[in-house]
Every structure is written in structure tokens, then in C-alpha cells.
Amino acid sequence: MQRKFALDMVRNIGIMAHIDAGKTTTTERILFYTGMIRKLGEVHDGAAVMDYMVQERERGITITSAATTTVWKNHQINIIDTPGHVDFSVEVERSLRVLDGAVAVFCAKGGVEPQSENVWRQANTYKVPRIAFVNKMDINGANFDNVVRMMRERLHTNPVPVVLPIGKENEFEGIVDLISGKAIYYTGANNGMDFEVKDVPAYMEDDFRKARAHMIEEAANFDDDIFEKCIMEDTDSVTEEALVKAIRKGTIEMAITPVLCGSSYRNKGIQRLLDAIVDFLPSPTDIPSITGKNPRVDREEVRHPSDDEPFSALVFKILTDEYVGKLAFIRIYSGQIKTGMMVFNPGKNENERIGRILRMNADDREDLTEAGAGEIVALVGLKKSTTGDTLCDKSHQIVLENMVFPEPVIKVAIEPKTKASQERMNTAILKLQEEDPTFKAYTDKDTGQIIIAGMGELHLEIIVDRMFREFRVEANVGKPQVSYRETITKTAKAEGKFVRQTGGHGQYGHCVIEIEPNPGKGYEFLNETVGGVVPKEFANAVSEGIQEAAKAGVMAGYECVDFKVHLVDGSTHEVDSSEMAFKVAGSMAFRSAAEKAAPILLEPIMKVEIDVPDEYVGDVMSNLNSRRGSVRGMELKNGVQAIDCDVPLSEMFGYATTLRSLTQGRATFTMLFDHYAQVPLNVAEKVTGRKFSR
């Protein structure tokens, strides 16, 4: 295929950060300076190109990751703008899975905030090299050095500034480039297109020399020539080219994080950020080749980033478009595709035909006839493929590592008002589940209500809003409820026997199991029977029955998690035994054993950070105590106290309103899911409606 850009001239990057750090504004400026858009759109005006959903424009936040492509200095840059709100962190997760590099945006005042830590850990998991951009250098309280310090302490990374700010807050004028040794002043004219390059101001000379020496020291770890010059104290002769090459190597190895700064809203520092993306972040050829399993022979295989290799790609996002239908976003790791071509989905064992190949620019699209390795494109025409599926060449099959999505922590009941709404709601649920793997829907066995579950109040609010607007569903929505879990705390043994003797063919299943706690490791099943007393197929049926019974729990109908099962004995009937009978026997044995194993209720615990002025700290702390909160620590941050604490999710409903009234609207908070913990007895009694012995 004819490539417009060589593979080493391609950058697949994501913009990631805490909510309100300025990701979308930064992406808008990148598109403007690279000539993709002619007019600057503002998030607060609801006119940002990348926030194209109605809900995004109304709320001024990013909900879904949007993809776009642009060009800078003869490099193709594929960008994914990810959400910052914790409820949509799965959008970040699945984007990071397919990216080669990322730009982490930090607010110059807030620095490293909880969600910044969360997405940073996600990027560590997927080994994504990063550069950092300290945004909002023009706002009150902006402190570049403090953000660099917080990165070192909270993210345990090695931040290396490659620029220094000239002034801060209202006096922020531009940046000093430590590599070129020049000062760049942004005049404000022509939307930041015009800037002046001057010598480093005299008052910054000492800071410049110190920071440059530190940068060269770090670069010396990745270049022998620079290392020699450091020993000879001849750092003035280190060339720009050598520095860029060494910093790039350190960034790709994730040993250093280059730090830049600017003000996206004021159009300052973006061009230098674009240079850094091209200079420091990897191309598809700079990162390790993708590995996967050949499903035919169960052997690990490698796919190198080349158009000549067999085709392999990962579906990382599904989107329903009102004009073209289902869009499947894919990252192509090797090989190439053309419109009309057949590809194979090994997970579903299905052939899929590619109707159209689209290059997305937010909600705009460009038709392509072909696409090759390293590209991020959207496909039209895939019927069976869902998020996390692999697409490949049928004659060279491979399954890439699947994505794991967290379980929902919050749920609401939803009831359609009419029969027509019922049908529309079923359609909406199917399409929204296809788009969002963290959104679940099921019918409650006891009440018959439809329950929808998600990652937080805002997540469910957006889901319901989309049902109403996009699918015209009319429904009543209940209050949010917590998704509790159950687990066991002791070892117990029980027997399950299912016997149905009728005149003809009967049913016989018999098993003896032992269960024990398995904290943090999920469900495990071990067949420890000897002499074939329970054949393998029946043992599998026992396991299936246990898992089904566990979903309904034994205390209050919540799923039972983190336990290990040992199948120790059982018996069969040569005529009447069946998989169904053993499945029922397994579920009976589990319920009996779990009742004896001291079951407890678990609740989701949220990590909460509250920024509160000194005078309100006492009131906020007192309120946290009443909500069963436990404080991890406090630190002074930008003139306010940052309270770090753990609070049960059930106690956090309506907290935003309470906090506003306690602090006259001056405090803010963020929260994200941290772990499950045991519910106190008095609370468990309220939730379950049962009395427990104390």
C-alpha cells in the first residue's frame, strides 16, 4: 500500500488528566495550530470540536474518548482525547491499551490530583511512555516547581523539565526552552500563532543553568557521548540533536518524563508541546511488537508493526452513529486492510466484512480505501465484533490480550411507562452495553424490575439521559443504590444431593464440597475427587451450579465473591446422572456451605480528596466522621487543606450539596473507587433486614 507517512513518522497518542485540567482545550489548540480546524472552540461555550455529544457540551466535560488525526512537521499524529471524570475511567483504560504514548496534562494550581494518579497507574500497567504538560500557568496559584515535586512524590516518576515558565499567573509571558537555550515570548496576537524568540532573560540565568544542567545529567544516562562531556565538564558543546535523541530514548524506556508548560486557553506553549510529541514520544516501530496466542495451536506469536506482516488489530471501542450505524474503532498492529475485505474474529469464530474504513476527526469522518499498520481507524459493517475482540487474517490467526473491565458499583431501577417505551428501552440497553462494557443491565428476580448498573452517579445519569434523548424512552427512574458484595470468612463443608426418581428416566447428582475464603483472588474451583467418583464433565457442572448460586448470594441476594471450592467427594448413578442434576447439586451444596462459613457483607469504599479552606476543616471532618469516613492524611496545597480519606459509597450520595452548604460553596471534592470492605454489623442489619449475633 502507498503510505502518505512512513511508520516511524506516525504518533498514536492520548491526552489524559484529572477532570478540568484542560485536556480538551489543549487538544483543540493542537488541532488549530496544525491547521485541522480554522476556528477555536471553547469547552465552556459548548463549542469544542472534540466534545461532540450533547451531554458533553451541556456539562463542559468529556464523556467519551474522541479520536482525531492531524499533521505536524511532516508527522501524522493520531490523538485520542480521554475523559477526566472517574466514572468514565474505563474510556481512558481502553484508549491506553492501544496507544503508543500519552500527554499527561496537569493543572498548574491543583498539580497531581486523585484521578491523575489513577490514569497514571493505568498508563504504567500498559507501559505507555509519557510527557507532561503543566497547563493553566496563567491562573492564580500556578506553581510549576510544585507540580514537578508532586509528580516525583505522588507518581513516583522522574520528571525532567525541558522548559521553564517565564513568569506565572497574570505575568506568565512564555517559556524558556532548555534544549535550544532560547526564550519564547507569546505576544497574544493572531491566536498565539505569532511568537518572538529571544535570549534568556537575565533574571532567569541562574535557574536556566541549573535546570539545563539537571536535564543534561538525566540525558547522559542514555547517551555515552553526552556522558563523556559531563565528566569533562564540557556540557556547552552538547548539541540539540544529541539531547533530543537521548531524552527520546529515556522517555521511551519510561525512565524519564519530560515536563513542559503553558496555558492552552491563552494559546501559550502548544507549538512547543507539539514539537515534544514528535521529538520524544514513540512511533509504532519504537515499542515492543505485539504478542498474542495462536488459538489453533495454543502457541504465543508475535506481530511486528509492518504492512507486510499478517493482519492483526484490536477493537477498542464500539460507537453507535445515527448516520452510519455501528462503528468499530480499531488499532491495526500489523498488516493492512481494504474496503470490502473479509477479516476473521477468532474469539467469536466469525468472518466479518469491512463495509467502509473511516478516519475519524471527532464526529467528522473521512473515507479511506485502505489502512495499514500503526493506524487507528473506524470500521463500518462489523456485525459480531465487540470491545476487546481481535481481528486477524483467517489463515494466520492470533488472539491479542483481552481487556478486563471493572464491575459496576452503583445501580438504579428503571421502569418504562408504556409498552412502546419498553421496546425502545430494550434496544437502548443493547446498544449502550455494546458501546460501554462497564454498563450492565439485568432483571431483578425478586421484584421483576429492570436494574441498570454503572461506575458512579454521573455515569448512570448520562446513560439515562441518552436513553431519554437518543432512544426516546419514557421511564421512571429510582434512587441510586449501592452494589454490595458478599463473601465468606470461615471454612465449611456441605453436601448437595439432587435426586428425582420418576417412573422413567430420573435425575441424580451428588457432591460434597469444602469452601474457604480466597481474599482478592476471586473464584477458584479444584476437583480433588479420586477414582473418578465424579467424572470431569459432572465436576464442571458442579462448578457452574456453584457460580450461578453465588450470584444470588446467601445473605441479601448480592453476589458472593472471593472464595475457593474443593470438590472432595460425590457419587453418580449410571442411568440417572446428568450435568443438569450435578449443576443443581452444586448450587445446593454451595448455599448450605456458605451459610455455615460466616458470610459477611462487603461495600465499595471510595478514595475521596476534599480541598477545603482552613476555617471549614472542623465542620468537614465532623461530617466525614458521621459518614463513617476514615482520614488517611492532610496536607496544605495551594492555600487550602487537602483531606485524603476513605468513605463508603453508600454514605456519599448527595455529598456535593452537603459540602457546598458546609463551606459556603468554597470546597471541592473528587472521589474514585478504591476497594471493597466489610460492612459494620449495624449497617449490614439495615441492608439485609436480618439480625446477626454479636
Side-chain angles (χ1 to χ4, degrees):
M1 77 173 254
Q2 280 287 318
R3 275 189 169 275
K4 197 172 175 183
F5 297 93
L7 203 51
D8 62 350
M9 305 293 269
V10 174
R11 302 287 183 269
N12 291 315
I13 68 155
I15 312 283
M16 61 184 217
H18 187 86
I19 193 167
D20 223 20
K23 295 176 306 301
T24 302
T25 305
T26 304
T27 312
E28 292 286 318
R29 297 310 186 262
I30 287 173
L31 296 181
F32 179 73
Y33 293 126
T34 54
M36 278 303 295
I37 56 175
R38 307 229 175 273
K39 181 175 175 289
L40 286 173
E42 304 299 351
V43 174
H44 56 263
D45 293 337
V49 173
M50 300 300 281
D51 286 346
Y52 57 88
M53 286 171 66
V54 176
Q55 292 83 0
E56 292 179 315
R57 293 189 165 178
E58 283 180 355
R59 289 170 167 80
I61 61 167
T62 303
I63 292 166
T64 183
S65 47
T68 190
T69 299
T70 192
V71 176
W72 182 256
K73 294 190 174 174
N74 209 30
H75 285 71
Q76 178 181 318
I77 305 174
N78 301 318
I79 304 170
I80 296 180
D81 175 29
T82 61
H85 196 286
V86 61
D87 286 13
F88 309 103
S89 55
V90 71
E91 285 284 334
V92 185
E93 183 116 2
R94 56 182 173 181
S95 302
L96 288 170
R97 171 71 174 79
V98 298
L99 293 171
D100 303 329
V103 177
V105 181
F106 298 98
C107 170
K109 182 181 176 183
V112 177
E113 297 182 85
Q115 181 63 357
S116 312
E117 292 181 63
N118 200 34
V119 294
W120 195 270
R121 281 197 298 273
Q122 287 172 320
N124 285 340
T125 305
Y126 294 111
K127 296 180 172 59
V128 178
R130 280 142 278 175
I131 61 177
F133 180 67
V134 180
N135 190 23
K136 302 190 179 183
M137 282 302 303
D138 58 323
I139 66 169
N140 287 339
N143 189 330
F144 179 74
D145 294 336
N146 186 47
V147 179
V148 173
R149 178 189 60 79
M150 287 175 83
M151 284 179 69
R152 191 175 290 110
E153 291 174 3
R154 290 194 176 188
L155 304 177
H156 309 292
T157 187
N158 180 19
V160 178
V162 292
V163 305
L164 288 180
I166 303 173
K168 61 180 183 179
E169 300 178 351
N170 291 335
E171 291 170 7
F172 177 62
E173 296 177 85
I175 56 175
V176 171
D177 188 336
L178 299 179
I179 295 175
S180 68
K182 293 290 182 187
I184 304 165
Y185 287 86
Y186 296 93
T187 59
N190 198 13
N191 287 320
M193 298 285 267
D194 300 339
F195 51 85
E196 294 171 2
V197 179
K198 297 181 181 178
D199 290 333
V200 176
Y203 75 90
M204 286 188 70
E205 197 66 46
D206 283 351
D207 290 341
F208 164 70
R209 289 200 175 281
K210 233 182 265 177
R212 192 169 194 274
H214 173 66
M215 178 185 73
I216 292 172
E217 269 174 38
E218 291 291 344
N221 295 320
F222 307 96
D223 187 291
D224 292 341
D225 191 41
I226 298 176
F227 185 70
E228 264 178 52
K229 286 177 177 175
C230 281
I231 291 172
M232 302 297 289
E233 294 186 359
D234 181 26
T235 55
D236 288 345
S237 66
V238 177
T239 64
E240 287 183 42
E241 192 182 348
L243 272 173
V244 167
K245 193 177 168 187
I247 293 169
R248 175 181 181 81
K249 191 169 184 288
T251 306
I252 292 170
E253 289 178 15
M254 291 175 60
I256 60 174
T257 305
V259 186
L260 299 99
C261 67
S263 167
S264 300
Y265 183 58
R266 301 284 176 209
N267 310 314
K268 295 175 180 178
I270 300 298
Q271 294 94 328
R272 185 66 190 88
L273 174 63
L274 277 160
D275 290 343
I277 290 169
V278 166
D279 289 343
F280 304 140
L281 289 179
S283 72
T285 56
D286 293 315
I287 57 170
S289 299
I290 196 85
T291 58
K293 281 269 179 70
N294 184 330
R296 286 176 166 173
V297 291
D298 198 29
R299 184 182 66 223
E300 195 167 270
E301 289 196 6
V302 179
R303 292 283 186 272
H304 303 292
S306 163
D307 293 340
D308 302 325
E309 286 263 314
F311 170 68
S312 67
L314 187 78
V315 180
F316 68 95
K317 182 178 169 72
I318 299 289
L319 196 64
T320 305
D321 187 282
E322 57 182 313
Y323 301 109
V324 295
K326 180 176 162 181
L327 284 172
F329 285 77
I330 65 164
R331 159 70 194 264
I332 305 172
Y333 286 101
S334 61
Q336 48 185 293
I337 49 170
K338 295 182 178 177
T339 49
M341 180 175 155
M342 295 297 285
V343 294
F344 185 64
N345 183 331
K348 303 278 193 310
N349 200 24
E350 294 275 355
N351 286 307
E352 296 267 41
R353 185 181 171 278
I354 298 170
R356 288 167 72 188
I357 304 169
L358 302 174
R359 176 168 288 141
M360 303 298 288
N361 294 318
D363 62 339
D364 230 6
R365 24 190 176 269
E366 172 195 349
D367 271 282
L368 303 174
T369 54
E370 57 185 5
E375 295 269 21
I376 291 176
V377 292
L379 304 183
V380 179
L382 305 190
K383 300 280 192 288
K384 306 285 185 185
S385 300
T386 54
T387 300
D389 283 357
T390 301
L391 300 175
C392 62
D393 181 343
K394 195 170 184 178
S395 52
H396 298 86
Q397 291 186 28
I398 190 169
V399 177
L400 304 175
E401 186 190 352
N402 214 331
M403 296 182 183
V404 179
F405 299 108
E407 287 296 309
V409 295
I410 193 167
K411 57 188 184 180
V412 297
I414 185 164
E415 205 169 83
K417 292 180 180 177
T418 61
K419 195 172 178 204
S421 275
Q422 174 76 62
E423 286 168 12
R424 286 198 287 268
M425 190 163 86
N426 293 342
T427 307
I429 285 171
L430 285 171
K431 285 190 174 177
L432 291 168
Q433 278 185 316
E434 203 169 36
E435 284 186 23
D436 184 351
T438 59
F439 166 59
K440 300 275 192 295
Y442 59 94
T443 303
D444 188 292
K445 287 179 185 171
D446 297 331
T447 63
Q449 286 178 309
I450 295 168
I451 307 294
I452 58 173
M455 300 309 295
E457 282 184 273
L458 181 63
H459 185 204
L460 287 183
E461 202 180 299
I462 299 291
I463 292 275
V464 169
D465 193 41
R466 287 188 66 189
M467 279 187 184
F468 290 173
R469 292 195 200 203
E470 291 173 35
F471 300 93
R472 302 192 315 282
V473 172
E474 293 176 1
N476 297 317
V477 182
K479 285 184 178 174
Q481 291 176 307
V482 175
S483 279
Y484 292 95
R485 297 281 187 274
E486 297 177 16
T487 193
I488 58 169
T489 55
K490 290 182 181 173
T491 301
K493 190 173 182 179
E495 177 183 47
K497 199 168 190 176
F498 180 64
V499 183
R500 268 283 156 83
Q501 301 291 0
T502 55
H505 198 303
Q507 294 284 355
Y508 184 93
H510 173 223
C511 64
V512 181
I513 64 167
E514 273 183 15
I515 62 171
E516 62 176 298
N518 197 24
K521 293 180 183 172
Y523 169 77
E524 285 181 59
F525 180 82
L526 300 170
N527 183 2
E528 295 172 355
T529 57
V530 290
V533 292
V534 180
K536 190 180 172 185
E537 67 269 23
F538 293 157
N540 291 339
V542 170
S543 178
E544 282 175 28
I546 290 168
Q547 287 177 80
E548 272 189 25
K551 282 184 180 162
V554 288
M555 290 177 75
Y558 298 104
E559 187 178 353
C560 190
V561 295
D562 293 345
F563 63 96
K564 189 186 280 188
V565 178
H566 305 264
L567 177 61
V568 292
D569 203 1
S571 60
T572 58
H573 187 283
E574 51 189 49
V575 177
D576 292 348
S577 282
S578 66
E579 285 187 24
M580 178 54 76
F582 273 90
K583 202 170 172 181
V584 175
S587 69
M588 290 163 71
F590 168 76
R591 279 194 288 271
S592 175
E595 286 280 6
K596 298 175 195 170
I600 57 168
L601 201 62
L602 302 174
E603 63 182 342
I605 304 294
M606 312 304 283
K607 183 178 185 295
V608 181
E609 185 169 290
I610 309 162
D611 291 340
V612 56
D614 275 337
E615 59 263 43
Y616 302 110
V617 167
D619 291 340
V620 169
M621 293 287 258
S622 166
N623 185 260
L624 280 173
N625 288 334
S626 71
R627 294 173 183 268
R628 298 191 283 124
S630 67
V631 176
R632 293 184 181 188
M634 268 173 71
E635 68 170 310
L636 192 63
K637 194 170 81 176
N638 302 312
V640 295
Q641 293 291 346
I643 303 171
D644 186 13
C645 54
D646 290 340
V647 191
L649 175 62
S650 58
E651 305 287 349
M652 288 300 290
F653 293 134
Y655 185 63
T657 309
T658 304
L659 188 64
R660 276 199 294 273
S661 62
L662 283 174
T663 63
Q664 297 182 353
R666 290 175 63 193
T668 58
F669 81 102
T670 55
M671 78 173 180
L672 54 102
F673 170 72
D674 196 71
H675 64 281
Y676 273 94
Q678 184 176 350
V679 177
L681 271 181
N682 61 325
V683 179
E685 286 175 352
K686 277 184 194 170
V687 173
T688 61
R690 292 170 58 176
K691 280 279 181 200
F692 298 103
S693 54
R694 296 174 190 271

